[in-house]
Amino acid sequence: MERRSKSVSRKPARRLDPRPASQNPTVDLVSLPHIADFIDYGEITLGEMYPVGCVAVAADGHNSLAMLRRRDGETLAQLLIRLDQAIGKALEEDIFTDEINTDR
């Protein structure tokens, strides 16, 4: 009797419903000066991190300056503004923000 390989269950692709342009807040990089300067020598990562959820991380290769967890109802623009502020605190005041490696 020939063996059949088991079927692999895959996550269904997520469909994004576009919002009307009036509901999409925009962020100008001029309003994010720390991010604009930081990306010349650092790295910013945005994405889903299991089991934490959506995160934004700013690291310079050796140190993580800011690790933010996206809040309920928070827009991407709001998350980027918070990340810019957290990068500023790290660079100017040596205060590093970590919302990922904390107790929930």
Side-chain angles (χ1 to χ4, degrees):
M1 184 188 251
E2 190 175 324
R3 296 186 120 193
R4 288 181 15 193
S5 61
K6 292 183 179 181
S7 63
V8 177
S9 64
R10 296 185 182 180
K11 268 177 118 174
R14 244 178 76 160
R15 188 173 147 241
L16 299 177
D17 295 324
R19 291 189 218 166
S22 62
Q23 291 183 359
N24 287 330
T26 59
V27 175
D28 183 7
L29 277 181
V30 175
S31 65
L32 302 172
H34 298 107
I35 289 177
D37 290 340
F38 183 73
I39 58 174
D40 287 337
Y41 62 90
E43 180 178 299
I44 294 178
T45 305
L46 300 171
E48 183 74 18
M49 178 187 286
Y50 180 82
V52 178
C54 184
V55 298
V57 178
D60 68 0
H62 301 293
N63 300 308
S64 293
L65 278 66
M67 297 187 293
L68 304 179
R69 177 184 297 167
R70 191 172 184 182
R71 298 173 180 161
D72 289 336
E74 184 174 41
T75 66
L76 179 59
Q78 291 168 329
L79 178 62
L80 288 174
I81 290 168
R82 285 197 314 119
L83 182 63
D84 186 73
Q85 293 168 344
I87 291 170
K89 272 187 175 178
L91 296 175
E92 296 166 5
E93 303 172 33
D94 281 339
I95 298 172
F96 301 92
T97 305
D98 183 355
E99 296 178 354
I100 295 174
N101 297 305
T102 59
D103 293 332
R104 290 184 159 201

